[in-house]
Amino acid sequence: MEKSRISALLVEDNPADVRLIQELLREMEAEPILEMETASSLAEAGCSLARRRADLIFLDLGLPDGLGLDTVRSITEMAPQAALVVLTGLDDEALAMESLREGAQDYMVKGRFTSQELIRASRYALERRKVKRKLEYDALWLEALLKLSRMSRRDIGEILHFVLKTARRLTRSQTSFLGSVDSEQGRLDIQRWSRSEWSVTGAGLPVDLNEEELRRAVLASKEQEPVIVGETRGGAAYGPGSAEEGAPMRQILFAPLQDDAPSRGVLGVMGGEEPYSLTDKAHMALLMEGLRTLLRERNQRQELVAARDAAEAANRAKSAFLANMSHEFRTPLNAILGFTNLALDGELDANQRRYLNLVLEAGGNFLRLQEDLLDISRIEAGKLTLRSELFDVGKVVQSCMEMFRAVVKNNQVRLTASVHPEASKRLFGDEGRLRQILINLVGNAVKFTAHGEIELSVEPAPNKNDPGRCRLLFKVRDTGCGVPASDSRRIFDSFTQLDDACSRGHSGAGLGLAISKRLVEMLDGEIWVESEPGRGSTFQFTAAFKPWTGRELQESETAEPPEIEPLRILLVDDDRINEQVTRRILERLGHEVVSAGSGSDALDILRGASFDLAIMDIRMPGLDGFETTRRIRSGLEPGVTPSLPVVALTAYRMSDDAPSYEAAGMDGFLCKPLDISKLKQVLAGIADRVRGEAIQN
């Protein structure tokens, strides 16, 4: 077995001291073998260290070109990896301490030590230096791994450059590279390599491996274990830029990156200052594990981002689909409900009136289903917003209960409502969404209660340390079939219905409670149910509103619109049936109506006649409602009044689209099926505007 060797350098300008120290160290040559060079000055020491690496340096502090601590600093800069023992005639404790602080492992005064003491000091210096270097490199590895773990959001090129630089630095190598070992072709391909402080991408670094070395590299990549290939030679580590340009690398240390066959990624270093060790292999394995973890996290993050984008795109597509289908359904529904209402205003026998009322009820149910589908879609997309308007809690409760009195009047069910005096007040909030929640809850109670009682009550609730708002507790209690305890949470999920004998007799999409839960959360409240199967349920929710102080404008008070003077209206709609029902409704309200089947026809009619209002369908072939309105507003259409009031007529029930109507220059919008009260409010506003303009003129 080959004995280990220690490369030593004695820096001493006194020949007698040189001979004495060599003699004292002779016993050390047995094990390990001490290979000694001498230098009489710092300059000579520098030349010697340039030729070969030194493991151990003996240094005199009085040299022709150096004195005291300056010599220590100079040597530690030349050979920071070497163990340093100071041999000097200066018996100075302060100087000794400063020398140790500057990097020396020991300080010995000439003439005061024996051969055994010098040998022991030398071995201790080597061991201490070894331990110190290990601690330093372990700290550097930990620092590098920590920094690598924080680079997951950096550019991949920056990450790979850091890995190459770290591997080269911490294995004390000249060159590092990233490549792949092709086990089928028996080839090592270099994609990126680094030397000094720069790196090259896509430039082939010549790494000539013999058959045995390549076999071992392939084996390492397969078994996911670092491996050292090449020969261990004495002297310098050959490599690009060295004195022996183009000579084979002394050693190459491979660490596998990934295990996807047949091509496997590897990180390699070569041209080390000394033979690679088990510690170097362990550090390279840690570095590659850190890189693998980082790349895995990046891939997972990219997959999550891609999944999120796909989900958002699917949600947008779903919302667009539901909006489009809602339009397609609501357009014929407008005709069905409109003509049904018109027919009910005529003379009918009892059966005819009953049949038409059933048609109206079925159409209303279908319309509510459309509303629910749109609401849940908009809630999930985060596009549903709340309005702030002045409303009376008592009136909302009263109107809600009135809706269902006709439904239960023939049943053995009694409807009651109570509002606590402290809760019966005017508040600011979204009255429509509160009404929607109450209708959903009371409607469910009516659906599942065959006899007994349904009670709606309102009382104050704790304010949760928010004195600036009024928090109310709403309860809907029924004596119906009840909800099993195991389903008390599930019933608030979308498209969920109970699978029992009670629920199977009733239709529905399972959206009412899901929408109510989302709306309650938007009102900063909570919703829950207390129920006992066979004995009924109590649905409860809280909601927060802004109290009315009496100073705010009462813009939302709903008074009956005043009598409207007859208006001359241009109705623009390409759907013949919807045009007829809208025309009949407007004429029944006392207005004069002229119809146009397209945007182009509307512009032609406006050039030859004056109107008080244009009601414009949005979706039309050719010129749609938006473009037609823009042309009216442009002032470039001869004979067309640019200030003509224009109200959109659309089957899209999307109040969020109001800004797009305003951008096109429209004065408002109406939804199909037409809400007669909403239509009257819009016409009243236009009538006021017409009267105002007439007075001014």
Side-chain angles (χ1 to χ4, degrees), residues 95-395:
L95 181 60
M97 295 301 296
E98 289 296 328
S99 298
L100 295 176
R101 291 192 186 98
E102 292 293 338
Q105 271 69 52
D106 210 334
Y107 185 96
M108 305 186 75
V109 180
K110 293 176 182 179
R112 296 188 183 179
F113 53 82
T114 65
S115 173
Q116 291 301 319
E117 289 173 338
L118 179 58
I119 293 172
R120 189 181 302 114
S122 301
R123 287 175 174 166
Y124 286 170
L126 287 168
E127 189 61 29
R128 282 196 294 268
R129 184 57 181 164
K130 180 181 178 181
V131 171
K132 183 178 179 182
R133 290 183 66 190
K134 184 179 184 305
L135 292 174
E136 289 174 349
Y137 278 107
D138 285 347
L140 289 174
W141 275 110
L142 291 174
E143 180 185 350
L145 290 175
L146 179 60
K147 185 174 181 180
L148 179 63
S149 68
R150 295 172 176 173
M151 295 181 71
S152 60
R153 299 185 183 275
R154 300 286 186 88
D155 177 74
I156 188 64
E158 185 179 354
I159 294 172
L160 295 180
H161 177 70
F162 173 78
V163 169
L164 290 170
K165 179 181 176 182
T166 300
R168 188 183 67 253
R169 175 188 175 196
L170 297 180
T171 58
R172 303 165 300 283
S173 301
Q174 289 184 0
T175 306
S176 56
F177 60 86
L178 283 164
S180 60
V181 175
D182 193 324
S183 57
E184 293 182 350
Q185 299 294 326
R187 185 178 68 249
L188 171 64
D189 295 320
I190 306 298
Q191 282 82 42
R192 182 185 293 262
W193 62 282
S194 174
R195 186 170 183 271
S196 300
E197 295 303 320
W198 49 274
S199 63
V200 178
T201 302
L205 173 67
V207 181
D208 298 325
L209 301 180
N210 59 40
E211 185 175 342
E212 174 61 20
E213 290 171 341
L214 183 59
R215 186 190 68 79
R216 293 185 63 197
V218 171
L219 183 63
S221 64
K222 285 183 177 179
E223 296 183 354
Q224 294 292 288
E225 291 291 338
V227 66
I228 301 171
V229 302
E231 298 179 0
T232 301
R233 303 184 181 185
Y238 303 122
S242 69
E244 300 189 38
E245 184 79 34
M249 299 298 102
R250 181 173 69 174
Q251 281 184 316
I252 304 175
L253 171 56
F254 288 105
L257 172 61
Q258 57 194 29
D259 57 357
D260 50 328
S263 181
R264 295 174 170 85
V266 292
L267 170 68
V269 290
M270 54 192 180
E273 293 179 356
E274 54 190 59
Y276 296 122
S277 64
L278 292 176
T279 300
D280 292 324
K281 290 175 65 174
H283 284 159
M284 288 285 280
L286 284 173
L287 182 61
M288 296 314 292
E289 180 60 31
L291 180 58
R292 275 195 296 270
T293 301
L294 183 144
L295 294 178
R296 192 181 305 121
E297 290 177 354
R298 284 174 61 90
N299 290 337
Q300 290 173 349
R301 185 180 298 110
Q302 291 172 356
E303 290 172 359
L304 288 173
V305 170
R308 181 201 63 193
D309 292 344
E312 290 178 351
N315 199 43
R316 288 193 297 270
K318 180 190 71 174
S319 298
F321 171 78
L322 288 176
N324 186 64
M325 291 307 297
S326 173
H327 177 275
E328 297 303 323
F329 286 142
R330 292 167 74 91
T331 296
L333 193 58
N334 180 55
I336 293 170
L337 297 181
F339 279 123
T340 301
N341 276 308
L342 290 172
L344 284 169
D345 284 343
E347 294 185 2
L348 302 168
D349 62 36
N351 281 335
Q352 290 172 331
R353 187 168 298 280
R354 182 167 62 88
Y355 296 154
L356 288 175
N357 278 321
L358 289 174
V359 171
L360 198 62
E361 181 181 349
N365 291 335
F366 184 53
L367 179 60
R368 280 190 291 275
L369 177 60
Q370 293 292 310
E371 301 282 343
D372 286 347
L373 286 170
L374 282 176
D375 277 343
I376 199 68
S377 176
R378 294 171 65 200
I379 288 172
E380 290 177 351
K383 293 184 177 180
L384 188 67
T385 57
L386 297 178
R387 300 173 60 187
S388 181
E389 54 192 353
L390 186 63
F391 69 96
D392 187 295
V393 176
K395 289 183 179 179

Side-chain angles (χ1 to χ4, degrees), residues 394-512:
K395 289 183 179 179
V396 172
V397 170
Q398 181 182 0
S399 65
C400 176
M401 300 303 281
E402 288 298 324
M403 286 183 59
F404 295 99
R405 293 196 188 282
V407 179
V408 301
K409 67 180 181 180
N410 296 325
N411 298 345
Q412 298 176 350
V413 178
R414 185 166 60 94
L415 289 181
T416 61
S418 63
V419 181
H420 192 280
E422 292 185 14
S424 181
K425 58 179 69 174
R426 288 185 171 185
L427 302 170
F428 274 101
D430 197 322
E431 175 189 359
R433 295 305 177 184
L434 174 61
R435 188 187 304 272
Q436 183 177 356
I437 298 169
L438 293 175
I439 289 173
N440 282 338
L441 297 183
V442 176
N444 274 352
V446 170
K447 184 189 298 185
F448 294 106
T449 304
H451 55 81
E453 181 183 29
I454 298 173
E455 179 187 16
L456 169 59
S457 63
V458 189
E459 60 189 64
N463 258 340
K464 297 198 324 185
N465 299 322
D466 189 1
R469 293 194 297 175
C470 176
R471 188 173 296 274
L472 301 178
L473 173 63
F474 298 81
K475 296 181 181 180
V476 178
R477 183 183 62 83
D478 65 63
T479 56
C481 55
V483 179
S486 59
D487 295 319
S488 60
R489 291 184 179 273
R490 190 170 63 89
I491 58 173
F492 292 103
D493 296 336
S494 300
F495 305 104
T496 297
Q497 293 178 300
L498 298 184
D499 187 18
D500 58 19
C502 181
S503 61
R504 279 195 293 270
H506 303 281
S507 62
L511 288 174

